């Protein structure tokens, strides 16, 4: 009996040591540097809703327009719920880490359809939760709708997450689930929500299926990843710099009709002057007037006043 008690005691001490060590390691894990800069100062002037929501932060941008922000993941993705009199449109569905469908149910009782600013994984993560998903009529969109796993696993690495993941979320099985495109949309199409009309403006460049949404009556331009405050990513193999240049010049041309620019990362509101600043900055880069800086992993960055771009280094281009 004494031997059994000794063995049990030793076993308990071992368990205690393991638990203590794991707890200590977790506590000692460095906080990602990007995490210490959250929340951004720009959010202080916005009205926040659903403060108990565990993953998203929800802000009122304008009557019937809500920014659904994911500040605890390094991409800092922002989706937008746009509500009309008869239905609502969710412009992007985020990372697929939190339950964005539940958030939309708390914001509106109207039916919600989905349209993506483009189909990179950080914008389509919860498409599968919705019955109606519009897609741009491109091959890139069709391939994206199959879902992905390899590209998204790095998004839930410890250095990409600030704080706790939602309860029940398993990072080990994280993937972008496949979704069904219920109807295709094209440049110039209008989506009538009842009392609010949204015009699709094709802005290829960042991806072949990149679009903006324009609420002309209210002067709201939703720009996806074509523009957002922060370093704009233009280094992927599907990126077309010539197409991007043409797209942002079109946006600069409508800047006088815009009151607010709503991008898909970091901060949800920017002035219309950002559109002309973007076009001018990119033109300066392409004209060779701006020096590049190495950004690691075959990338270079350019900065022009408050606009910056992350691009593939010349030797990395295919």
């Amino acid at each position: 009996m004494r031997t059994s008690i000794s063995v049990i005691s030793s076993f308990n001490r071992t368990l205690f040591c393991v638990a203590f060590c794991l707890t200590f390691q977790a506590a000692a894990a460095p906080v990602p540097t990007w995490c210490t800069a959250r929340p951004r100062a720009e959010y202080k002037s916005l009205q926040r809703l659903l403060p108990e929501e565990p993953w998203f932060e929800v802000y009122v941008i304008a009557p019937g327009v809500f920014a659904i922000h994911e500040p605890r993941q390094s991409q800092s993705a922002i989706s937008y719920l746009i509500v009309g009199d008869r239905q609502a449109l969710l412009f992007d569905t985020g990372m697929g880490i939190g339950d964005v469908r539940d958030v939309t149910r708390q914001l509106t009782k109207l039916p919600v359809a989905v349209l993506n600013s483009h189909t990179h994984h950080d914008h389509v993560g919860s498409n599968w939760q919705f019955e109606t998903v519009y897609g741009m009529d491109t091959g890139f969109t069709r391939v994206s709708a199959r879902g992905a796993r390899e590209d998204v696993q790095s998004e839930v690495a410890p250095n990409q997450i600030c704080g706790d993941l939602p309860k029940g979320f398993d990072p080990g099985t994280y993937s972008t689930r496949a979704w069904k495109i219920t109807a295709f949309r094209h440049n110039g199409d209008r989506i009538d929500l009842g009392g609010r009309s949204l015009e699709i403006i094709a802005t290829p460049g960042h991806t072949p299926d990149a679009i903006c949404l324009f609420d002309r009556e209210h002067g709201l331009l939703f720009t996806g990843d074509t523009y957002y405050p922060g370093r704009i990513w233009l280094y992927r193999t599907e990126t077309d710099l010539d197409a991007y240049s043409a797209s942002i010049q079109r946006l600069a041309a409508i800047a006088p009709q815009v009151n607010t620019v709503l991008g898909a990362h970091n901060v949800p509101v920017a002035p219309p002057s950002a559109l002309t600043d973007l076009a001018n900055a990119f033109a300066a880069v392409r004209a060779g007037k701006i020096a590049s800086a190495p950004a690691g992993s075959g990338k270079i960055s350019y900065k022009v006043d408050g606009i910056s771009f992350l691009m593939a280094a010349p030797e990395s281009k295919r």
Side-chain angles (χ1 to χ4, degrees):
M1 179 65 72
R2 182 176 299 172
T3 301
S4 299
I5 293 174
S6 176
V7 169
I8 292 171
S9 177
S10 176
F11 179 73
N12 287 339
R13 286 196 299 271
T14 301
L15 285 178
F16 174 81
C17 181
V18 170
F20 176 82
C21 290
L22 289 174
T23 302
F24 177 80
Q25 289 175 359
V31 175
T33 54
W34 59 266
C35 185
T36 59
R38 308 284 171 90
R40 291 179 169 86
E42 291 87 347
Y43 284 91
K44 293 180 180 179
S45 62
L46 300 176
Q47 178 188 357
R48 184 176 175 185
L49 303 179
L50 311 182
E52 301 303 317
E53 163 55 39
W55 180 254
F56 299 100
E57 291 183 358
V58 180
Y59 295 90
V60 179
I61 302 301
V65 179
F66 307 93
I68 304 174
H69 183 213
E70 300 184 65
R72 296 172 183 81
Q73 203 281 333
S74 64
Q75 295 276 9
S76 196
I78 305 171
S79 306
Y80 293 93
L81 183 67
I82 309 163
V83 181
D85 295 332
R86 294 195 307 270
Q87 69 176 91
L89 183 77
L90 183 60
F91 194 48
D92 288 341
T93 62
M95 301 291 300
I97 295 174
D99 188 348
V100 75
R101 178 60 175 150
D102 181 64
V103 171
T104 64
R105 285 172 174 158
Q106 295 181 68
L107 295 173
T108 181
K109 301 302 181 184
L110 295 173
V112 177
V114 166
L115 177 65
N116 299 113
S117 65
H118 63 295
T119 54
H120 276 158
H121 63 263
D122 51 324
H123 299 268
V124 302
S126 291
N127 277 20
W128 64 273
Q129 288 188 302
F130 296 85
E131 293 183 5
T132 302
V133 180
Y134 303 132
M136 294 302 288
D137 197 359
T138 74
F140 187 81
T141 309
R142 293 179 179 87
V143 171
S144 298
R146 300 172 188 169
R149 175 174 170 80
E150 292 183 5
D151 283 351
V152 303
Q153 275 289 302
S154 62
E155 303 285 15
V156 289
N159 66 347
Q160 300 299 304
I161 301 297
C162 179
D164 296 328
L165 289 163
K167 291 182 179 179
F169 176 81
D170 182 1
T173 61
Y174 177 50
S175 65
T176 300
R177 294 175 59 169
W179 76 90
K180 181 180 179 181
I181 301 170
T182 52
F184 285 108
R185 291 291 179 260
H186 304 85
N187 180 51
D189 285 357
R190 285 176 168 79
I191 301 174
D192 182 7
L193 302 179
R196 187 188 294 270
S197 178
L198 303 171
E199 178 185 345
I200 296 174
I201 302 175
T203 51
H206 179 71
T207 64
D209 60 354
I211 64 170
C212 295
L213 273 186
F214 193 15
D215 180 345
R216 288 182 182 270
E217 181 180 355
H218 302 97
L220 303 177
L221 182 68
F222 302 84
T223 53
D225 278 11
T226 300
Y227 169 78
Y228 51 82
R231 190 160 62 172
I232 298 169
W233 288 10
L234 297 172
Y235 64 84
R236 301 271 296 240
T237 56
E238 63 268 21
T239 297
D240 183 329
L241 297 181
D242 290 335
Y244 183 76
S245 177
S247 292
I248 61 178
Q249 288 174 30
R250 288 197 298 272
L251 295 183
I254 66 171
Q257 304 171 51
V258 176
N259 294 326
T260 306
V261 175
L262 301 97
H265 292 276
N266 303 326
V267 177
V269 291
S273 59
L275 300 174
T276 51
D277 291 344
L278 174 68
N280 292 337
F282 195 67
V285 168
R286 301 209 80 194
K289 298 179 180 179
I290 308 300
S292 65
S297 302
K299 303 180 187 69
I300 53 176
S301 65
Y302 295 90
K303 188 171 184 180
V304 188
D305 298 325
I307 306 288
S308 61
F309 307 98
L310 184 64
M311 300 166 65
E315 62 273 15
S316 300
K317 296 179 180 178
R318 297 179 182 177

